[in-house]
Amino acid sequence: MARMEIMSGTERRRRWSDEAKLRILSEADQPGVRIGDVARRHDIHPGQIRLWRQSFSYVGRPAMFLPVEITEEVSATQAPDTPPASAVIEISLRNGRCLRVPADVELRMLGSLIACVEAA
């Protein structure tokens, strides 16, 4: 049976502390978790979680350590007259997509690229 709430008087907006928002965002960021399920558990609209993600952008967050896999070894005896190949970093995102960027990409640009690829 569906739940019904009857509200009388002036409806007030709920105020969420930054800690509560971050706790809900970290719950929604877990692999395999759907935003709609998290929103229902906390009685909020899924769009609110998306807005909180934007307001707590990933650019200002402290760095996290992620697993790295070396796929190609570079020989120490490489001839000095050959130009070095530009290094490329491959990032596997939560949504299963893969992003390849040059190793010298700016942090701001990388944050924007990741946000675009995750949102699409």
Side-chain angles (χ1 to χ4, degrees):
M1 183 171 187
R3 184 179 102 191
M4 184 187 322
E5 274 185 55
I6 299 174
M7 303 184 83
S8 61
T10 306
E11 183 179 343
R12 292 193 171 105
R13 290 183 173 194
R14 289 185 284 177
R15 302 282 183 215
W16 296 89
S17 67
D18 287 347
E19 293 81 21
K21 291 177 185 178
L22 289 171
R23 189 172 16 89
I24 293 171
L25 286 174
S26 68
E27 185 180 334
D29 284 343
Q30 297 301 318
V33 174
R34 296 182 339 184
I35 291 177
D37 294 338
V38 174
R40 247 180 260 108
R41 260 193 306 278
H42 296 282
D43 196 28
I44 58 177
H45 192 273
Q48 186 67 54
I49 293 176
R50 291 183 184 94
L51 287 173
W52 288 346
R53 277 185 176 164
Q54 289 175 357
S55 67
F56 290 103
S57 70
Y58 289 96
V59 174
R61 287 193 169 172
M64 296 180 355
F65 289 102
L66 299 173
V68 175
E69 180 182 331
I70 298 175
T71 56
E72 181 181 328
E73 284 191 33
V74 178
S75 171
T77 60
Q78 186 177 19
D81 58 325
T82 58
S86 103
V88 175
I89 299 173
E90 184 174 304
I91 303 169
S92 299
L93 302 171
R94 282 188 302 251
N95 60 9
R97 293 188 174 140
C98 180
L99 181 64
R100 291 183 183 98
V101 295
D104 59 348
V105 68
E106 291 182 19
L107 185 58
R108 247 184 216 177
M109 176 66 77
L110 181 60
S112 298
L113 287 172
I114 290 174
C116 288
V117 173
E118 280 188 333

